[in-house]
Amino acid sequence: MDKAERTMIVMNAGESRFQLRACALIRSNGHILIHRVVGDPCWVLPGGRVEFHEAGAETLAREMEEEIGSLASIGPLRFVIENFFELAGRRVHEVGFYYEVELLRPLPFDENDIVHRVRDGSADLEFRWALPTRAALDQFGLLPMPLRNLVETMPGGIQHLVRRDVAAGQLS
């Protein structure tokens, strides 16, 4: 699809937003890849918003090429998380698909430092490896929170969770 024709699946309605995301579970040396916008306190798994007429796996293949510069082998869907939270005064309803992914050109490995940086639109992103333990992922503030336990335990099959932030749950 031509870049000018691409439209992310995002709907804004007053103070609310809906978005559909696809995210990657990428492993190396017993660690998992996480990323954030430079300066943000919280980290997330790499990925991005799904575009119209694009499957979640296609989104990840595109995002890995755009953000990491690597083709990727997209594996099975592992988690579906319906996430309700507040961000910048807006109530957000996000549905996230989380897939196993293998980069065909892996990123360097350093367990203590940023291994990749890229400009994505108006945002500067940084990537690093983290131990897939609840304690380590808590230190990085990995979001959404259910991922912290899921990544550590990696239960079989496809897991579906609903997560409501306390603040979002109090909004009416």
Side-chain angles (χ1 to χ4, degrees):
M1 188 180 321
D2 185 307
K3 206 167 191 170
E5 298 173 17
R6 292 170 41 182
T7 303
M8 290 181 274
I9 300 176
V10 176
M11 182 180 75
N12 294 312
E15 298 297 315
S16 295
R17 166 179 273 197
F18 172 82
Q19 58 191 23
L20 184 60
R21 284 184 45 86
C23 301
L25 295 152
I26 301 170
R27 301 170 198 292
S28 180
N29 296 303
H31 289 65
I32 190 156
L33 188 66
I34 60 177
H35 88 293
R36 70 176 177 181
V37 172
V38 173
D40 276 2
C42 297
W43 295 75
V44 297
L45 295 181
R49 292 188 186 100
V50 177
E51 296 178 355
F52 279 102
H53 312 290
E54 182 179 61
E58 294 168 335
T59 297
L60 283 180
R62 174 180 52 77
E63 289 287 345
M64 296 305 97
E65 211 168 337
E66 290 174 0
E67 294 180 358
I68 297 178
S70 175
L71 296 176
S73 174
I74 311 303
L77 176 66
R78 296 303 308 271
F79 316 129
V80 176
I81 300 177
E82 294 180 69
N83 193 19
F84 298 85
F85 57 98
E86 187 175 327
L87 180 66
R90 176 172 270 176
R91 293 172 63 184
V92 180
H93 174 183
E94 175 181 274
V95 175
F97 297 114
Y98 295 81
Y99 295 84
E100 294 282 349
V101 172
E102 184 177 337
L103 298 175
L104 300 184
R105 189 178 60 77
L107 287 175
F109 181 81
D110 184 324
E111 64 184 336
N112 298 311
D113 205 0
I114 302 301
V115 296
H116 180 68
R117 287 187 170 88
V118 67
R119 183 120 178 122
D120 183 34
S122 63
D124 290 315
L125 303 178
E126 58 187 7
F127 295 74
R128 68 164 295 142
W129 297 102
L131 282 171
T133 65
R134 173 68 196 239
L137 299 174
D138 281 348
Q139 288 182 327
F140 288 108
L142 184 71
L143 294 177
M145 285 186 73
L147 280 174
R148 300 174 194 184
N149 284 333
L150 290 170
V151 167
E152 181 175 55
T153 61
M154 289 306 293
I158 298 171
Q159 302 296 309
H160 171 241
L161 291 125
V162 176
R163 164 79 167 126
R164 292 184 186 272
D165 271 356
V166 174
Q170 294 173 346
L171 297 172
S172 55

